[in-house]
């Protein structure tokens, strides 16, 4: 069974600085997706970024980028130029890819990010 | 598109009561899921559906029922509410195929069982 681990329950960053959130996962599959979701106090789950395992290039979305290390099973999220609106809980998630898969997402425990003005 | 919608946003039940959490999506997505989120934990899968008329159990299905009579709707029923079901519930959907890998979540329902 696949597992996702976020070892940092809480992180803080100064506004305009850069912060990296860690995520490791365990799987025997070769094809899968990895996601970072943001959950602000409103509780809405917002997709931040996604990575397909077959792609070697790290995904980037504006100020958000990932460091995907497939062999190490590591998927960290880097937030550049942090803004007050980035304060939220961040979840790393895994999804299998392949015929018949149900799309089940496996979530890590979450990391609460505080942004200090 | 409204995306994924959920009702109600908040609900308080007494132990033993039953209720239905509603979920609808207007993106013609085949896959729909229900998750629950408890403090200090990520989301856990309750039930899921891969299309109208097809449902299956997820990680924590006990005490919940689902049905999928249409592509758009995927209600979650609590048969006899228990305090252990106090949680935030999220409905999610995604399209078919590997290009449709992203799940879209509804705004959540906060349920308290007294």
């Amino acid at each position: 069974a696949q597992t996702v681990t976020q070892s940092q329950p809480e992180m803080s960053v100064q506004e305009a600085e850069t912060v990296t959130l860690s995520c490791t996962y365990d799987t025997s599959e070769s094809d899968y997706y990895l996601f970072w979701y943001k959950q602000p106090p409103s509780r809405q789950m917002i997709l931040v970024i996604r990575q397909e395992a077959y792609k070697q290039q790290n995904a980037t979305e504006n100020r958000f980028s990932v460091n995907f290390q497939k062999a190490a099973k590591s998927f960290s999220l880097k937030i550049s130029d942090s803004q007050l609106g980035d304060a939220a809980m961040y979840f790393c998630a895994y999804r299998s890819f392949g015929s018949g898969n149900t799309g089940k997402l496996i979530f890590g425990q979450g990391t609460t990010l505080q942004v200090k003005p | 598109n409204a995306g994924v919608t959920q009702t109600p946003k908040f609900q308080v039940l007494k132990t033993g009561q039953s209720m239905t959490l509603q979920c609808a999506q207007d993106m013609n997505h085949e896959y729909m899921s229900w998750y629950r989120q408890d403090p200090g934990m990520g989301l856990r899968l309750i039930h899921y559906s891969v299309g109208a008329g097809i449902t299956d159990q997820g990680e924590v299905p006990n005490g919940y029922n689902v049905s999928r009579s249409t592509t758009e709707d995927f209600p979650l029923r609590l048969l006899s509410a228990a305090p252990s079901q106090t949680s935030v519930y999220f409905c999610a959907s995604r399209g078919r195929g590997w290009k449709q890998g992203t799940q879209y979540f509804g705004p959540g329902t906060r349920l308290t069982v007294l």
Side-chain angles (χ1 to χ4, degrees):
Chain A
Q2 296 85 17
T3 58
V4 177
T5 302
Q6 293 177 250
S7 58
Q8 306 156 317
E10 296 180 357
M11 294 281 286
S12 67
V13 63
Q14 208 69 35
E15 195 176 7
E17 297 294 309
T18 295
V19 65
T20 299
L21 308 184
S22 300
C23 173
T24 59
Y25 58 95
D26 189 28
T27 184
S28 59
E29 298 173 332
S30 58
D31 291 324
Y32 47 87
Y33 294 100
L34 294 165
F35 303 87
W36 279 98
Y37 280 91
K38 171 186 177 182
Q39 188 180 43
S42 67
R43 298 198 318 267
Q44 180 75 48
M45 293 290 287
I46 302 166
L47 177 69
V48 175
I49 200 165
R50 113 178 184 180
Q51 175 84 40
E52 290 91 344
Y54 74 91
K55 290 185 178 178
Q56 294 191 349
Q57 187 174 7
N58 290 325
T60 300
E61 289 287 342
N62 300 314
R63 297 183 295 108
F64 299 87
S65 61
V66 298
N67 184 6
F68 173 50
Q69 302 288 331
K70 191 173 184 179
K73 296 179 183 174
S74 171
F75 183 60
S76 60
L77 175 69
K78 185 172 82 171
I79 306 174
S80 304
D81 186 25
S82 297
Q83 300 175 359
L84 295 177
D86 295 334
M89 180 166 279
Y90 287 81
F91 289 98
C92 179
Y94 172 102
R95 181 171 91 73
S96 296
F97 161 79
S99 61
N101 89 78
T102 63
K104 171 186 174 181
L105 281 173
I106 300 168
F107 285 87
Q109 303 89 331
T111 297
T112 299
L113 178 65
Q114 181 186 24
V115 181
K116 299 178 180 177
Chain B
N1 286 352
V4 181
T5 58
Q6 290 183 238
T7 57
K9 285 191 168 56
F10 302 93
Q11 183 70 48
V12 179
L13 293 178
K14 294 181 180 178
T15 297
Q17 286 185 315
S18 62
M19 79 159 295
T20 300
L21 307 184
Q22 301 291 344
C23 174
Q25 52 89 12
D26 61 358
M27 298 174 280
N28 202 31
H29 284 171
E30 290 195 345
Y31 297 95
M32 296 186 74
S33 311
W34 277 103
Y35 293 83
R36 61 177 287 173
Q37 182 181 22
D38 300 303
M41 303 180 72
L43 282 67
R44 292 182 294 167
L45 183 66
I46 304 171
H47 285 286
Y48 63 92
S49 169
V50 299
I54 307 170
T55 64
D56 206 345
Q57 296 180 350
E59 188 181 355
V60 287
N62 292 342
Y64 307 95
N65 272 0
V66 291
S67 59
R68 185 97 178 269
S69 56
T70 67
T71 299
E72 294 78 20
D73 300 297
F74 190 44
L76 177 72
R77 297 182 186 83
L78 280 70
L79 308 173
S80 177
S84 61
Q85 293 179 305
T86 293
S87 188
V88 180
Y89 292 84
F90 288 95
C91 180
S93 75
R94 74 169 184 92
R96 169 190 281 272
W98 69 269
K99 280 191 177 290
Q100 304 293 333
T102 300
Q103 291 212 32
Y104 296 91
F105 285 84
T109 295
R110 182 178 291 276
L111 175 68
T112 301
V113 182
L114 302 175

